[in-house]
Amino acid sequence: MSLAVAANGDLIIKEEIDPQLLQSLFRNYSSGAEAVLELIDNSVDENLQGRRLSIDVNVSAKAVEIVDRGGRGMGAERLNRFFRWGASEKAGHEGKLGRYGQGGKAAMGYLGRSFTLTAKAAGAPETYELVEADWHDRRAGVKTWTPRLVPPPVGLDEGYVAIRITNLLARRVNRDTVRERLGDVYRELLRDGKCVISVNGQPVLPLELPLYEAYPVHKIDTNIGGGLRLRGWFGRLKADMAKHGRRGGMRCTVNGRLIKDGEFFGHPGPTFKQSLNQLIGVMEVPFVPLNMNKTEFDRDSREWVAVEQYMHAALDEIIRELRGAREQDKVTDTDRKRVRDAQDLFEAAIKRLENRELLEQRFSTGAGQKKKEALLSVAEIVVTRKPRSDIGGKHKPATPPPSGSVGLRRRRGRLPWRPWVLGDRTRAAIIKEGDAPVLLINTRYPLYKATNRELWYVLETGALEYAKYDRDAPMSADEYLIEVNEILAEAFAEKS
């Protein structure tokens, strides 16, 4: 090729693009599953507001097919724009995944040499079919097609796009791997019911993130400046999730699609301390620029810097807590014995109360419950408490229950107690292990340490949790304190 020269004799240097560059874009994926994700991203971008997107993926030794229904679909004009390399109508639009005009086309080239594309725009009657025999052959330069009209596969109002890739290259596209990856990447969309995805007819389930119930989930919905709205949440995974391969850290999404997981926003990660793997959360950051493959954000952009600064501060407390967290096997034998002794005394107190209530139901005819004149402190109850009716005394309750009542307390069954490491601000918590509730006494709570594991502190802690657990009906603050005080008084009576 000779150099270009202007009419005045000046040398002209001009940019040219070799079509063979596309071969490099075809290789710009790490796996067949990543290429399938790229094709599904186009469907997610074109989802119609208020409609649920349906995506079917079919994988075999001869073909990979992606069919989406419920989105905008594609008519003649959008089909034409789809095949423009490097130009995208989505560029500059917040929340859009396809910003560079190359992903879907390159993914097709990564998976195979031939394809059939069938498309219909929502609200349009025409359905177009476009067939390409060798997508890799660029000897003639750019590609051109004359699509043919075919019968519509869906109703008039519904959009439709089907891409069937054949003449597959030597790519390993494992349907189980694809299904698992889809459940991870599109977890938020699947959970929110915004789309349904199947692989070879089997539904894709959203990735499970088993949360540590004793730690409250923190919600974020705030403006971090410059009109940037940050939304999401963070919490803690169950402690044993890392042992099962679940990676911790924040999951950053755009339009519900996972872009980056395992993010700690400048804090040390699990390589520093394994307990940091318990951090988990989801942040929607649609305004941050992405790289071409949607595997990372532009970390030098002002948008990312603003997100990182805000999230670094927001996560500071939980990071400090996890850095100092102790595993369950660090709970001492003394902790276990103290909690076991407190539970035994507590259960004896509950038994005494239940026996008294049964006697009252059998012999008392008082109608309705009256509020007590005044609440006594625990110390006053210990000093002035009369012998209980179930041990032969003459005490009568200040609030006799209605005839036939089972009393204030439900028969809630045995509730196991266990010493556990929780956050510094959590005194105790009741969580579910399977279907069974367990009461956790926090061995890191400052008062637990200050009282040197004192029996009555542990007993009071358990009573405070028990009294509000699984109620038949809402209770007032007075009723709550009455029940706690009665449990403690019976425990003192039992101990003495």
Side-chain angles (χ1 to χ4, degrees):
M1 180 184 296
S2 60
L3 293 173
V5 179
N8 63 359
D10 290 342
L11 181 65
I12 298 175
I13 304 296
K14 66 178 181 178
E15 178 186 39
E16 293 186 6
I17 298 177
D18 189 333
Q20 296 303 316
L21 173 65
L22 302 183
Q23 295 290 339
S24 297
L25 294 177
F26 290 167
R27 293 189 292 269
N28 201 24
Y29 293 93
S30 60
S31 68
E34 295 301 319
V36 170
L37 289 174
E38 181 67 58
L39 292 168
I40 292 178
D41 284 343
N42 286 330
S43 302
V44 170
D45 265 343
E46 303 308 327
N47 195 11
L48 288 174
Q49 188 69 27
R51 293 193 184 182
R52 186 168 67 170
L53 188 67
S54 174
I55 302 171
D56 297 316
V57 180
N58 293 288
V59 177
S60 70
K62 295 184 177 181
V64 174
E65 183 179 45
I66 294 96
V67 180
D68 83 68
R69 301 174 177 84
R72 289 175 58 190
M74 289 195 289
E77 290 187 4
R78 295 198 65 247
L79 263 175
N80 192 53
R81 289 196 297 269
F82 176 77
F83 284 102
R84 291 178 186 170
W85 288 92
S88 174
E89 60 184 336
K90 307 169 192 175
H93 289 267
E94 183 176 304
K96 292 295 185 181
L97 297 166
R99 306 180 186 184
Y100 301 100
Q102 59 85 27
K105 298 178 284 293
M108 291 155 62
Y110 179 87
L111 293 169
R113 303 188 71 90
S114 308
F115 65 80
T116 300
L117 193 159
T118 308
K120 174 191 171 300
E126 300 87 5
T127 301
Y128 298 95
E129 183 182 82
L130 186 154
V131 179
E132 172 57 46
D134 194 342
W135 187 222
H136 285 246
D137 184 3
R138 298 287 160 173
R139 289 174 295 181
V142 296
K143 297 281 187 177
T144 60
W145 301 272
T146 301
R148 70 186 185 97
L149 291 171
V150 297
V154 295
L156 178 66
D157 293 338
E158 193 171 5
Y160 179 89
V161 176
I163 301 175
R164 180 177 174 82
I165 303 164
T166 55
N167 196 6
L168 299 180
L169 301 174
R171 310 295 188 200
R172 186 173 182 270
V173 186
N174 182 281
R175 62 186 180 184
D176 294 330
T177 301
V178 169
R179 187 182 300 109
E180 181 180 349
R181 190 82 178 99
L182 292 174
D184 184 359
V185 171
Y186 300 107
R187 175 184 185 270
E188 308 312 313
L189 297 173
L190 293 167
R191 279 176 53 88
D192 293 343
K194 294 181 179 179
C195 76
V196 291
I197 307 176
S198 69
V199 177
N200 289 36
Q202 185 173 341
V204 172
L205 301 178
L207 173 73
E208 291 187 9
L209 299 176
L211 296 180
Y212 186 37
E213 296 179 24
Y215 187 89
V217 170
H218 293 258
K219 299 288 183 67
I220 291 178
D221 187 351
T222 186
N223 191 318
I224 59 174
L228 305 180
R229 193 76 180 175
L230 189 62
R231 293 180 174 89
W233 61 271
F234 65 88
R236 281 179 62 173
L237 282 170
K238 288 184 176 179
D240 61 345
M241 284 300 100
K243 299 176 183 177
H244 299 291
R246 169 53 41 217
R247 182 182 182 183
M250 299 297 294
R251 296 165 56 86
C252 300
T253 64
V254 171
N255 198 15
R257 196 264 201 208
L258 177 68
I259 302 298
K260 181 68 176 179
D261 67 349
E263 180 60 50
F264 284 83
F265 296 104
H267 287 289
T271 54
F272 173 82
K273 188 173 179 61
Q274 181 65 23
S275 59
L276 290 167
N277 244 332
Q278 287 183 258
L279 173 68
I280 196 65
V282 177
M283 298 307 304
E284 174 70 14
V285 285
F287 45 79
V288 181
L290 307 177
N291 68 1
M292 290 180 68
N293 278 1
K294 297 185 282 291
T295 57
E296 186 55 275
F297 294 94
D298 180 358
R299 292 176 177 264
D300 289 330
S301 66
R302 70 171 184 86
E303 294 89 350
W304 179 261
V305 171
V307 171
E308 186 171 57
Q309 288 176 347
Y310 180 88
M311 289 304 300
H312 185 89
L315 297 175
D316 186 64
E317 182 177 342
I318 188 173
I319 291 291
R320 284 189 290 106
E321 181 177 313
L322 290 173
R323 287 179 66 171
R326 305 173 189 171
E327 302 296 331
Q328 168 61 11
D329 57 12
K330 297 292 182 63
V331 171
T332 67
D333 289 340
T334 303
D335 294 322
R336 296 187 183 93
K337 182 179 186 307
R338 179 66 72 237
V339 170
R340 186 167 58 248
D341 291 345
Q343 180 181 357
D344 290 344
L345 185 53
F346 171 86
E347 290 178 348
I350 293 296
K351 185 66 175 177
R352 290 167 63 94
L353 286 170
E354 289 174 351
N355 289 339
R356 177 164 60 86
E357 286 177 349
L358 289 173
L359 291 171
E360 290 167 354
Q361 290 172 41
R362 184 170 182 179
F363 299 111
S364 174
T365 58
Q369 287 199 5
K370 300 177 183 177
K371 292 185 178 180
K372 289 190 174 182
E373 294 292 333
L375 295 176
L376 301 177
S377 69
V378 172
E380 289 173 322
I381 291 175
V382 173
V383 173
T384 64
R385 194 75 175 186
K386 295 180 180 180
R388 310 304 297 182
S389 58
D390 60 300
I391 55 173
K394 298 180 180 180
H395 172 80
K396 291 185 179 181
T399 57
S403 178
S405 170
V406 296
L408 187 61
R409 282 159 291 279
R410 288 183 62 182
R411 302 298 185 263
R412 281 166 273 188
R414 188 174 187 275
L415 185 66
W417 294 22
R418 190 176 303 164
W420 203 264
V421 178
L422 302 175
D424 290 341
R425 298 186 180 183
T426 302
R427 181 169 179 175
I430 295 177
I431 67 169
K432 287 286 186 68
E433 287 190 350
D435 294 329
V438 177
L439 191 155
L440 304 181
I441 303 294
N442 184 13
T443 58
R444 289 185 63 206
Y445 191 67
L447 280 178
Y448 181 86
K449 298 175 181 179
T451 60
N452 195 26
R453 308 180 178 94
E454 208 269 335
L455 175 68
W456 297 110
Y457 165 82
V458 177
L459 180 72
E460 181 190 49
T461 300
L464 288 167
E465 286 297 316
Y466 177 88
K468 66 184 181 182
Y469 166 66
D470 194 23
R471 306 300 308 186
D472 272 329
M475 61 194 308
S476 68
D478 283 354
E479 290 171 333
Y480 173 68
L481 290 175
I482 286 169
E483 179 161 356
V484 171
N485 286 342
E486 288 203 333
I487 292 172
L488 294 175
E490 292 291 353
F492 277 112
E494 174 70 18
K495 185 70 173 174
S496 60

